Amino acid sequence: MRIPFTRNVRLAAVAAATALSLTGLSACGGSSGSGGDAKSLEMWTFKQSHVGALRDAAAEFKKQTGITVKVEAYTPDDAYTTKVQSAAKTGDLPDVLEVHSDGEDRTLGAAGILSDLSGDFKGDWAGRIQQSVQQSGLVTAQRFKDSQPTTAKDHGIKEGQRFSVPLTVGTFGIVYANKKMLAEAGINKAPADWEEFLAALKATKAKNGTTGGLALGLKVQSTGLNWVLQPLAFSQLGQSAYESLFGKDKNADFASPNGLKVLGMYNALTPYWMPGAQTLTIDQADQAFAQGKAAFDVGGTFTLAFLQQNGMKPDDVLAFGLPSPKDGAIPHRALGPLALTGLSLTATSEKPDNAKKWMEFLSQQKVAAQFAKAASDVPATELGADAATVLGPTLSALVDSFKGTPRTTYDPSRGNEFRAPGYEQDDAGAILADLTPLRQQSVEATAKKLRELNASYWAAAQ
């Protein structure tokens, strides 16, 4: 799966990066691609790994309702966006679209392609969705405010509208380890803390110098920062001191003792990167891991399905959240989930009631659990106490990474509240890459550059 990214730190807008400008593009009238049969629907997705699971759900849906759902995938993401744009112009949109959450949905909604679901997503339907992502798809006051510039891709949306309902959730900072390589190095369990993680890397690297290391798509500049350094720093320092790394106070920023500490911890990974890690895209890094070119891979919950598509079985890997430092402020940190994909009703659907029945059906606990197992992905539906039994050990480990209190959970969607306006994570990521794996800068020089970068953003914001 290609991971959506923006240069800006606001992960809530990730989908907008893949949604080309749809300004001025509105859905034409006429029938959808599913024709005039009142007992049939059409749904499009951009995730190939979801197709089988959705078709299985559609078969059960037909048994219960008599309504047929035809599911089609168009990949990669850019091709999907183009397909939707073209269909919107010709009036050939399906009834239901799977969309990137909190970005693409609003862009399509602003263009008149999607229907407002604010009056439908409530009661039992909303109650089945994990509380942390229930507002995904909703035009909140802040999202409405952000849409006000005429240059915004979602300009024209209104506060209170809802253009998608959550389907899948996930988070970054998930480590996948090759069980066979671990066993060869004498390791049979997930590292309990950062120190054990480094020791495991050292052991697998010592066992095999060329394939025992760590894969991460560092060609995407933000990954090292966003997926490793930030959750590591949060664990080491606690939320307040972590957020101060990005502030104006030189006594607490990246060049402070706290900053130097976490940069030094991050730099401890330097001996263990797989060869050429800095040149790999996210997909290439995941593929390298699946091909046995690295013992460890850092990704997200969504990576499991991609690994499966590339020949690894869930039982082949050990999955766990990036370990926290043993003596840090939060030694048992959780990773907060984000809504990743949602379901949207197109404005041209001639069967909106049946389409909404299908969307709500997918949120049912039993259906969502079966979807999760078939797609190797984490559903937005709260699966309850039996989730571990239903999902199996690998998917359960991913879900377990979400479990924490507000104080102990690193929330990757939290970004603009404590950073300078206009902050771009790729700029900081590029500075980090010079530290590791490129070894072109020391910890101290990196800290100074990050301080200067932060200061430039704060100065520009005045």
Side-chain angles (χ1 to χ4, degrees), residues 235 263 323 400 406 420 437 455 461:
S235 304
L263 287 171
D400 285 346

Side-chain angles (χ1 to χ4, degrees), residues 204-220:
T204 54
K205 190 75 172 178
K207 185 66 179 179
N208 194 318
T210 57
T211 62
L214 175 66
L216 175 58
L218 291 169
K219 186 175 182 179
V220 180

